Amino acid sequence: MQLTWLGHSCVLLTGSKKVLIDPFIEGGSVQGVDPDIVAVTHGHNDHMGETVALNKKTVAITEIAKYLKTKGVPVESMNIGGTIIVDGVSFTMTAAMHSSFLEEAGVGFSAGAAAGFVIGMDGVKVYHAGDTALFSDMKLIGELYHPDIALLPIGGRYTMGIAEAMIAANFIGAKTVIPIHYNTWEKIIADAMSFKKAIERTTDIKVQVLKSGESIQTGS
Ligand code: NI
Ligand code: MN
């Protein structure tokens, strides 16, 4: 499987299927990606992004799925704690400590809870934490699902910062950690290299700092 960080929280998994998570790129577009499945962690604009325009099979929490259905988007509705298999790809929806909200034409409405995903494809498990604070039940995500790769926000202000993400990485226990949700805007500037150095000095975890558009190959 190939994992590509497209920027911010947007990650593309390419294997037996193409799975696109949180299809938002600041100042760009994911229209060229053509995924089989889209997964959305929560309702904020910087995660919903182009979900409606893509109009692909979309995995989302019940409230967002209902909204997408009214837009004609094919949905796979689920909720936190559940696991579904979509076209051979497994999606476990995990808790996230964050808010969620949908906005349309200046009107905002509830989008249910914010979430994360553990996605399993071709024998590789990837945990995308979504937007979240550090919470100790991340240990359970590690114990239950044993993700190979963890995508963790490090930008601070709206999510964990570097100090919290270091503890999160230890809780989850994935061999590889990839920082996301940083440096998109001035308010979420973070030094990913200092995060990498600090983790790699004290643990066996490897931190892959990717440039936007950069990929890593993983799995057998
Ligand atoms: Ni958010
Ligand atoms: Mn966000």
Side-chain angles (χ1 to χ4, degrees), residues 42 44 46-47 98-99 131:
H42 64 291
H44 292 152
D46 60 316
H47 299 262
H98 191 66
S99 61
D131 280 0

Side-chain angles (χ1 to χ4, degrees), residues 8-9 22 24 41-42 44-47 98 130-132 153 158-159 181 185 188:
H8 198 56
S9 263
D22 285 356
F24 167 89
T41 60
H42 64 291
H44 292 152
N45 286 335
D46 60 316
H47 299 262
H98 191 66
D131 280 0
T132 187
Y158 306 107
T159 68
H181 211 274
W185 308 292
I188 56 169

Side-chain angles (χ1 to χ4, degrees), residues 53-109:
L54 279 166
N55 198 26
K56 298 290 181 181
K57 192 181 289 181
T58 301
V59 179
I61 202 161
T62 323
E63 289 80 0
I64 293 175
K66 276 208 165 166
Y67 166 79
L68 291 173
K69 234 175 151 181
T70 69
K71 301 288 163 192
V73 177
V75 291
E76 289 286 353
S77 156
M78 66 185 304
N79 214 316
I80 292 164
T83 299
I84 59 173
I85 311 283
V86 181
D87 301 334
V89 181
S90 73
F91 293 84
T92 298
M93 188 173 274
T94 57
M97 198 180 282
H98 191 66
S99 61
S100 189
F101 195 64
L102 276 166
E103 259 179 283
E104 191 172 88
V107 179
F109 43 97

Side-chain angles (χ1 to χ4, degrees), residues 97 127 129-139 150-173 177-182 188-191 194-196 198-199 202-203 205 207:
M97 198 180 282
Y127 170 48
D131 280 0
T132 187
L134 173 67
F135 56 97
S136 58
D137 279 359
M138 283 177 173
K139 283 182 198 168
L151 297 152
L152 301 179
I154 64 161
R157 188 165 186 128
Y158 306 107
T159 68
M160 299 188 280
I162 284 174
E164 296 83 6
M166 284 183 64
I167 297 172
N170 278 294
F171 280 174
I172 296 153
V177 167
I178 300 171
I180 59 171
H181 211 274
Y182 70 101
I188 56 169
I189 296 288
D191 181 2
S194 77
F195 174 65
K196 176 182 170 74
I199 287 199
T202 51
T203 72
I205 299 165
V207 176

